[in-house]
Amino acid sequence: MATRLFLVVLAVCAFSLPTFGSDCTEKKFKSGTVCVCDVTKCDEIPNIDLTSGQAATFTTANSGARLHRDIVYATDSDPSRSNSCDYYFIIIFATVTCLHLTIDTSKTYQTIQGFGSTFSDASGANLRSLPDKLADTVIRQYFSESGLNLQFGRVPIASNDFSSRVYTYNDVADDYSMTHFSLQREDYQWKIPYMQMAQKYNHNLKFFGVPWSAPGWLKTTNSTSGYGSLLGSSQGTYHKAYVTYLLKFFDEYQKNGIDFWAMSTQNEPTSGGDKKTKAQSMLFTAETQRDFIKLDLGPALRTSSAAKAVKVLIMDDNRGNLPKWADTVLKDTETASYVAGIGLHSYQDSESDKHLQQTHDNHPKYFIFGTEASEGYKSKDSVDYGSWDRAEDYVEDILDDLNNWVAGWTERNLILDAQGGPSWVSDFADAPIIAFPALAQFYKQPMFYAIAHFSHFIKPGAVRIDHSLNVPNLDIQKSAFLNPDGSKVVVILNKNVLAPYSVSVKDSQRSSDHYQVHMGPRSIVTLYIQN
Amino acid sequence: MKSRFRTIFSFIFFIIFCLGRSQTFHKKILSNRAHFLAANADDCTSKSFKDGTVCVCSLDYCDEIPALDITMGQAAVYMSSHAGARMHRDVIYATDAEPFGTLHLTIDSSKMYQTIQGFGSTFSDASGANLRSLPDKLADTVIRQYFSESGLNLQFGRVPIASSDFSGRVYSYNDVSDDYMMQNFNLTKEDFQWKIPYIQAAKKYNQNLKLFGAPWSAPGWMKTTKAMSGPGALSGKAGDNYHKAYTTYFVRFLEEYAKSGISFWALSTQNQPTLGSDKKNKIQSTLFTAETQRDFIKSDLGPALKGSNVGKDVKVLIMDDNRGNLPKWADTVLNDRDAAPFVAGIGVHSYQDSESDKHLDETHKNHPNFFILGTEASEGGGAKDVSVDYGSWDRAEDTVSDILDDLNNWVVGWTERNLILDAQGGPSWVSDFADAPIIAFPALAQFYKQPMFYAIAHFSHFIKPGAVRIDHSLNVIELEVESSAFLNPDGSKVIVMVNKGSLVATEHTVVVQDTADNRNHYQFKLPHRSITTLYIQTSNF
């Protein structure tokens, strides 16, 4: 009885005290709270610091907590049987609901490769607008193991919508042998220095290059920006020239000590067929992409010294194109031999999961990888300071992807300015970090912590495992993972704006242990169970 | 005979009228095309947003106001518009005969009103922080655009005494409690990094720059609330320790700035003294009523300034708050014969400019020897507004209306709240974000000139210090058109007109006639959603 009362008190405290992640220097806005970092101080994720068999919850909530750590002790008995759950029900607002979440490490799904962000020109420009030491803090917060532990860096090949101008690496028309190919000041000032800095924090960082458009003179429209496709046909002059262009990119980056893990054939190839597109784009259909890989790109990569190990990703577009796109490209066995995975954007994540499930069923040997996600695009407030809605969207987005065979997830920009740019085409968006050079500060948006709830805890090589709730619940979304070292990670989102939940997590392979997770309204919890 | 004459006369008049019409019609097409071209052909490197267009400046390039470059008797119109024109210059020639016009504006330089002292902006911490976030050369461009004669030709610089809402933190120059002698008075890094360097840079472009200091709050320990931010008044009453200490604080401020070669033209007694009684107020403030301000000036501030080397020539401004407080506030302070001799003018903010002009008219009537100076104005500060609205023409229009309304009602100058803010409309420690005429983009080493910048330019570049407002009247009442007219010390005349009509069809053909010079008429187009300045060079006949 005394224990029960004690638990009740604990629970009341957990629900009623909005605890800020120990270190967050908070700044409040209409939509929520950001954490402010400057040259002297930036909040860190508390160490996991557990011994074998222990567990901890890390909580982030709209009410203020940012990765707030609490030790959780396993209990022998199921709390539902001991009735303590009913106790919460009586004492706290009469609204606490008890749920049972069972994870099963014997049922494993895809291997998680990791999370990433994009070395866009806009990110580099903003990093450069901050004092060097503060730019280093941004990179450390993202790429060090104590931070977001990002494993992937997406690198635009030449300019994109988040550049300040339209450029390619060779704008000299008809230079088919690419003798005038040259990296630009954007590469030297905004990309390479920060990619190298990130490598210092993660020696295994994997880069993947992505072109938004070929040089205009290789396109049907003679323009790098706007819609249009590559001139000619496979193995023709234009296609060969473009492949030479792509290979030169890897050569030049290798000269700067940077090797690439993969490349995407084309960012959002369907945008290139949209006459309203203003940003850099280039049309591939699944058929032309298949032929381009088979006849041009694939064979050329194998003969290149800098790029022979570079994996090829296809599609790099929204899920609505699946599984048809993958079927078209991968059912061609010769093409399929050049391909490693399928790139996926998150802008149609409200569409059916079947797009992903069927893709995996049809092509189980090809990984599906989230290559771009962002919030605030085309919204009235490109940057919405402290927005919890956007953090929630991110968590839902990642959960939905990871529960449907996706192996990783990539943010669109590391850091943007207060306008959500720069972007030459005014394609402004939000980002997990916003730069404020005037005061030598940056703001960490709730989205930053949304990613942290996954990326800091789920290690590369982890596998997604089975998880199920005792009753269906629309407020609660979740997923579960088994790390290579045997630790388990459960990420749970409570979307309800008023109701707290008490979730009892049980490992079906260790049915003696139950972990009680208390979730306030509008909160994200990562339960980390040490092996 | 007589009737035949009349018939012929009417016939000739009819022909002239028709010719005039067709010519006007023809010109209208041409001029529409000119406006269209102007949108692209001006020097502005334009970037378009939902609400309008900004001009982008970088290390390589920043658009300038075209030089007047006209000879005696000529005139020039400068036009900015929602469609994209920015200070687009056209020379116009006077005509003897009165040309066709849909609007006739008569100016009368024999009827003179107040003398215009000039326009200004504020060396806020936020402005300095943003200037410092830009490359030095680009920060210098910002200062030149504002303070050089070829730019906005600003004459005034408002300088917050210690921190304001547009600071990165709350600080005073002496946070040591009970240090009544101000032995621990110290300027801060904000002064040395964000204010003084840019004030000095501005002085290079305008050697006659007049600075006025304004405190947002006394140090917290002097206040009833013991806190700089939030409501509260000075502890005690006029003549006591706290009030004497506070005047010492003012004098020490002047002394410390003098060490950097910066002297002040005036001091405002208190920024928005009424804020200090608002319990919901979060920013730095100190409450003065008209009565306590009167007593503070009479017993403490006035005599202390007169008795100090550094302050003896420094003018004192009262109120520094919205017009709704007038004329009562001025009456209370200035009807006191002991307080009034210390006072030079009345500061007015623009946040109640929709209220009646009588507040200003009556103030002038009651106190004709005291100038009324606009000490603060900004857009986008409302809680529900978008702080920074890129390219907003609405805000340019608001700014023009605001300035016209003030100048037409005895106000002698007008001061913007910040020189330059970031894309969020800050920094502001209390998240009191706002818009500004210039927005910094350090990531690309750029800044944007908002339409508001040009709104101010339409006045400040042309109306010289010492100009007088002169009488002006329109032949018809046209609610969407507002105007004012000025006579510069060199005899040139300046007319500023805004057309707020949103339809293309609201374009006006304006004919300006000077009663002192019946022979000359100036005709120009005032397109929909546009601002025009007509500058008539001195004529000697």
Side-chain angles (χ1 to χ4, degrees):
Chain A
M1 191 64 192
T3 319
R4 277 186 212 162
L5 273 175
F6 177 66
L7 279 172
V8 167
V9 171
L10 265 185
V12 170
C13 290
F15 291 141
S16 59
L17 289 180
T19 36
F20 258 89
S22 34
D23 292 338
C24 168
T25 306
E26 58 183 284
K27 192 168 168 90
K28 287 190 156 60
F29 292 94
K30 228 176 21 240
S31 308
T33 304
V34 302
C35 298
V36 182
C37 292
D38 62 23
V39 181
T40 58
K41 188 170 172 302
C42 193
D43 58 298
E44 304 275 350
I45 303 172
N47 286 332
I48 292 174
D49 199 19
L50 298 172
T51 55
S52 181
Q54 281 189 327
T57 54
F58 291 79
T59 302
T60 298
N62 186 33
S63 60
R66 293 290 180 271
L67 290 158
H68 179 80
R69 174 179 174 276
D70 283 306
I71 298 271
V72 180
Y73 296 97
T75 52
D76 277 356
S77 55
D78 187 330
S80 66
R81 268 178 237 139
S82 72
N83 244 353
S84 68
C85 221
D86 298 336
Y87 239 108
Y88 303 129
F89 186 84
I90 294 159
I91 295 195
I92 308 152
F93 317 118
T95 52
V96 178
T97 309
C98 289
L99 294 172
H100 296 270
L101 175 65
T102 305
I103 60 172
D104 183 353
T105 53
S106 70
K107 286 191 199 155
T108 58
Y109 299 83
Q110 82 277 24
T111 298
I112 307 301
Q113 301 189 25
F115 299 80
S117 188
T118 305
F119 289 88
S120 60
D121 287 344
S123 298
N126 280 297
L127 285 165
R128 203 157 188 258
S129 77
L130 297 175
D132 291 347
K133 202 185 145 192
L134 199 58
D136 190 84
T137 304
V138 173
I139 296 295
R140 182 168 48 75
Q141 288 268 334
Y142 273 120
F143 293 96
S144 77
E145 213 175 341
S146 65
L148 257 53
N149 195 24
L150 297 188
Q151 301 297 320
F152 291 94
R154 189 186 197 209
V155 184
I157 297 175
S159 65
N160 74 2
D161 46 346
F162 280 98
S163 298
S164 56
R165 63 182 182 116
V166 179
Y167 64 90
T168 75
Y169 295 132
N170 187 0
D171 287 331
V172 179
D174 304 335
D175 176 15
Y176 302 106
S177 53
M178 293 293 153
T179 49
H180 295 91
F181 184 102
S182 62
L183 296 184
Q184 300 292 299
R185 65 175 170 80
E186 281 86 348
D187 298 274
Y188 294 114
Q189 294 183 357
W190 292 347
K191 287 177 181 167
I192 292 168
Y194 301 110
M195 290 166 72
Q196 288 170 336
M197 199 182 276
Q199 282 182 313
K200 276 193 308 182
Y201 289 110
N202 182 349
H203 302 301
N204 301 317
L205 190 59
K206 291 172 174 168
F207 293 114
F208 62 102
V210 190
W212 261 249
S213 174
W217 56 272
L218 290 172
K219 287 172 66 184
T220 52
T221 50
N222 201 27
S223 166
T224 303
S225 53
Y227 71 99
S229 56
L230 265 186
L231 281 164
S233 54
S234 284
Q235 291 187 302
T237 315
Y238 296 103
H239 284 58
K240 283 196 184 305
Y242 185 44
V243 167
T244 308
Y245 174 88
L246 294 171
L247 295 188
K248 281 244 178 191
F249 169 79
F250 296 112
D251 290 344
E252 292 300 314
Y253 264 73
Q254 193 174 61
K255 285 180 193 164
N256 289 282
I258 292 172
D259 287 316
F260 278 76
W261 160 75
M263 72 167 290
S264 155
T265 316
Q266 170 64 41
N267 173 71
E268 290 191 20
T270 60
S271 293
D274 179 357
K275 293 217 165 139
K276 282 179 288 180
T277 294
K278 284 182 186 166
Q280 298 91 325
S281 73
M282 194 160 74
L283 170 69
F284 280 101
T285 62
E287 289 76 15
T288 60
Q289 186 166 77
R290 175 195 63 202
D291 296 344
F292 177 67
I293 292 169
K294 178 163 71 176
L295 301 169
D296 302 296
L297 182 65
L301 282 173
R302 291 210 176 147
T303 62
S304 149
S305 72
K308 63 175 179 290
V310 168
K311 297 179 194 300
V312 173
L313 306 183
I314 62 165
M315 199 180 76
D316 203 7
D317 210 325
N318 289 310
R319 65 166 67 174
N321 300 294
L322 291 174
K324 199 158 169 286
W325 191 288
D327 293 346
T328 303
V329 178
L330 299 175
K331 82 180 175 199
D332 184 297
T333 51
E334 199 179 339
T335 308
S337 69
Y338 294 115
V339 176
I342 302 153
L344 179 71
H345 289 198
S346 73
Y347 308 109
Q348 292 178 342
D349 267 18
S350 56
E351 290 194 21
S352 167
D353 295 339
K354 281 189 182 162
H355 293 290
L356 300 178
Q357 282 162 13
Q358 286 177 1
T359 305
H360 173 76
D361 289 346
N362 297 355
H363 314 283
K365 290 183 179 155
Y366 295 86
F367 64 80
I368 308 172
F369 196 90
T371 46
E372 188 185 306
S374 63
E375 292 284 328
Y377 180 62
K378 301 272 184 211
S379 144
K380 196 171 130 272
D381 297 311
S382 301
V383 179
D384 189 2
Y385 297 100
S387 167
W388 186 257
D389 287 351
R390 291 184 180 178
E392 228 167 49
D393 278 356
Y394 260 16
V395 171
E396 281 196 273
D397 193 40
I398 299 174
L399 283 172
D400 184 65
D401 278 355
L402 298 186
N403 283 334
N404 289 286
W405 301 103
V406 174
W409 191 90
T410 311
E411 164 66 46
R412 194 174 181 189
N413 288 286
L414 288 162
I415 177 169
L416 292 175
D417 68 22
Q419 191 181 26
S423 160
W424 70 273
V425 69
S426 297
D427 258 358
F428 302 117
D430 213 331
I433 294 186
I434 303 295
F436 284 92
L439 294 184
Q441 293 178 337
F442 61 82
Y443 293 175
K444 286 159 75 178
Q445 292 272 43
M447 289 185 287
F448 181 90
Y449 301 89
I451 302 169
H453 272 277
F454 297 90
S455 66
H456 180 75
F457 302 97
I458 305 169
K459 306 295 176 196
V463 287
R464 208 250 297 170
I465 55 176
D466 208 51
H467 54 90
S468 59
L469 277 182
N470 60 329
V471 285
N473 186 301
L474 289 174
D475 292 338
I476 299 287
Q477 296 183 23
K478 76 298 179 222
S479 194
F481 308 88
L482 176 66
N483 272 330
D485 69 356
S487 57
K488 281 155 256 173
V489 178
V490 183
V491 184
I492 313 173
L493 169 70
N494 176 11
K495 289 172 71 179
N496 196 295
V497 296
L498 294 171
Y501 279 91
S502 188
V503 183
S504 174
V505 179
K506 181 180 75 175
D507 181 350
S508 63
Q509 303 302 306
R510 290 172 59 93
S511 50
S512 58
D513 291 347
H514 298 85
Y515 298 92
Q516 200 66 27
V517 176
H518 305 297
M519 300 198 65
R522 305 207 86 184
S523 68
I524 312 160
V525 168
T526 298
L527 171 68
Y528 188 93
I529 305 168
Q530 191 65 271
N531 190 21
Chain B
M1 192 69 180
K2 211 175 172 185
S3 103
R4 227 179 112 192
F5 242 114
R6 244 166 73 183
T7 315
I8 292 169
F9 185 80
S10 303
F11 183 67
I12 290 169
F13 184 82
F14 178 73
I15 296 286
I16 289 171
F17 180 73
C18 289
L19 278 173
R21 284 302 288 244
S22 71
Q23 206 180 8
T24 310
F25 181 65
H26 186 61
K27 269 187 190 163
K28 192 160 181 168
I29 295 168
L30 279 177
S31 100
N32 275 346
R33 191 189 296 162
H35 295 148
F36 177 73
L37 285 174
N40 302 304
D42 284 344
D43 290 339
C44 164
T45 307
S46 65
K47 191 170 166 89
S48 292
F49 291 93
K50 211 170 52 238
D51 295 327
T53 301
V54 303
C55 299
V56 182
C57 291
S58 65
L59 285 169
D60 305 323
Y61 185 75
C62 193
D63 58 297
E64 305 274 350
I65 302 171
L68 270 167
D69 199 21
I70 49 179
T71 56
M72 201 171 281
Q74 284 186 330
V77 285
Y78 286 76
M79 195 272 292
S80 300
S81 68
H82 181 236
R86 294 292 181 266
M87 309 304 287
H88 179 79
R89 174 180 170 275
D90 279 310
V91 174
I92 58 170
Y93 299 94
T95 54
D96 271 359
E98 184 166 348
F100 168 77
T102 56
L103 272 182
H104 291 258
L105 181 80
T106 308
I107 61 170
D108 183 353
S109 51
S110 69
K111 285 192 198 152
M112 297 193 286
Y113 301 85
Q114 81 278 23
T115 299
I116 306 301
Q117 300 190 20
F119 299 80
S121 187
T122 305
F123 291 92
S124 60
D125 286 346
S127 298
N130 280 297
L131 285 166
R132 202 156 189 261
S133 76
L134 297 175
D136 291 348
K137 202 184 141 194
L138 199 60
D140 189 76
T141 304
V142 173
I143 297 294
R144 180 168 49 75
Q145 289 268 333
Y146 273 120
F147 294 97
S148 76
E149 213 174 342
S150 64
L152 257 54
N153 195 25
L154 296 188
Q155 300 297 320
F156 290 103
R158 190 185 196 207
V159 183
I161 298 175
S163 64
S164 74
D165 46 345
F166 280 99
S167 297
R169 64 185 181 113
V170 179
Y171 64 90
S172 80
Y173 294 134
N174 187 357
D175 289 331
V176 179
S177 294
D178 304 334
D179 177 13
Y180 299 103
M181 305 301 292
M182 292 293 148
Q183 283 166 333
N184 297 287
F185 184 100
N186 272 312
L187 296 185
T188 62
K189 68 174 169 65
E190 282 85 350
D191 298 276
F192 294 113
Q193 294 183 357
W194 293 346
K195 288 176 181 168
I196 291 168
Y198 301 111
I199 293 172
Q200 287 169 335
K203 284 176 67 172
K204 275 193 304 183
Y205 289 110
N206 182 350
Q207 272 103 40
N208 301 317
L209 186 65
K210 291 174 174 169
L211 300 170
F212 62 101
W216 263 247
S217 173
W221 58 270
M222 292 185 180
K223 288 171 64 183
T224 51
T225 50
K226 302 290 173 207
M228 264 193 99
S229 49
L234 271 185
S235 293
K237 54 176 194 263
D240 76 358
N241 274 353
Y242 289 105
H243 287 66
K244 291 281 177 243
Y246 193 39
T247 56
T248 308
Y249 182 87
F250 276 98
V251 172
R252 292 285 298 113
F253 167 77
L254 297 173
E255 285 172 355
E256 290 300 318
Y257 265 74
K259 287 179 188 168
S260 296
I262 293 168
S263 56
F264 278 78
W265 162 74
L267 287 176
S268 157
T269 317
Q270 171 61 42
N271 172 70
Q272 284 186 225
T274 60
L275 263 187
S277 64
D278 178 357
K279 295 231 162 102
K280 281 177 290 179
N281 171 45
K282 285 181 186 164
I283 73 167
Q284 298 95 321
S285 69
T286 304
L287 169 69
F288 282 99
T289 62
E291 289 76 15
T292 61
Q293 185 166 78
R294 173 195 64 201
D295 296 345
F296 175 62
I297 291 169
K298 179 164 67 173
S299 317
D300 304 295
L301 185 63
L305 287 175
K306 285 278 173 262
S308 81
N309 252 334
V310 74
K312 63 179 184 292
D313 296 323
V314 172
K315 298 179 194 303
V316 172
L317 307 181
I318 61 166
M319 200 179 77
D320 204 6
D321 210 323
N322 289 311
R323 65 165 66 172
N325 300 293
L326 292 174
K328 202 159 167 285
W329 190 289
D331 293 346
T332 303
V333 178
L334 300 176
N335 290 343
D336 185 296
R337 281 186 198 167
D338 296 322
F342 292 118
V343 177
I346 302 151
V348 67
H349 289 200
S350 74
Y351 308 109
Q352 293 178 343
D353 269 17
S354 55
E355 291 195 21
S356 167
D357 296 338
K358 281 187 184 165
H359 294 291
L360 300 175
D361 277 347
E362 285 177 20
T363 304
H364 172 75
K365 275 188 202 132
N366 298 355
H367 313 284
N369 296 326
F370 295 86
F371 63 79
I372 308 171
L373 177 69
T375 46
E376 187 185 308
S378 63
E379 293 284 326
K384 285 176 194 158
D385 296 344
V386 175
S387 302
V388 179
D389 188 1
Y390 298 99
S392 167
W393 189 256
D394 286 352
R395 291 185 179 177
E397 270 176 5
D398 279 356
T399 302
V400 170
S401 285
D402 193 40
I403 298 175
L404 283 173
D405 184 67
D406 278 356
L407 298 185
N408 283 334
N409 289 286
W410 300 103
V411 174
V412 302
W414 190 91
T415 312
E416 168 65 44
R417 194 174 180 187
N418 288 286
L419 288 162
I420 176 168
L421 293 176
D422 68 22
Q424 191 181 26
S428 162
W429 69 273
V430 69
S431 298
D432 251 1
F433 303 115
D435 213 332
I438 293 186
I439 303 295
F441 284 91
L444 296 183
Q446 291 179 339
F447 61 83
Y448 292 176
K449 287 160 75 179
Q450 291 273 45
M452 289 187 286
F453 181 90
Y454 301 90
I456 303 168
H458 273 279
F459 297 90
S460 66
H461 179 76
F462 303 97
I463 306 170
K464 306 296 177 195
V468 288
R469 206 243 304 168
I470 56 176
D471 208 52
H472 61 94
S473 58
L474 278 177
N475 62 329
V476 288
I477 293 169
E478 175 55 77
L479 288 175
E480 287 172 329
V481 174
E482 295 161 19
S483 53
S484 195
F486 307 87
L487 175 65
N488 272 330
D490 70 357
S492 58
K493 284 156 207 156
V494 177
I495 290 103
V496 184
M497 297 184 84
V498 60
N499 180 358
K500 294 161 98 169
S502 55
L503 303 172
V504 178
T506 62
E507 171 170 298
H508 284 286
T509 302
V510 180
V511 173
V512 174
Q513 188 185 354
D514 186 347
T515 54
D517 180 9
N518 280 323
R519 281 172 299 179
N520 288 337
H521 300 86
Y522 300 91
Q523 185 204 46
F524 61 89
K525 300 289 182 192
L526 187 64
H528 75 291
R529 303 212 85 183
S530 73
I531 311 162
T532 286
T533 300
L534 171 68
Y535 187 95
I536 306 170
Q537 193 63 277
T538 319
S539 55
N540 282 344
F541 40 82

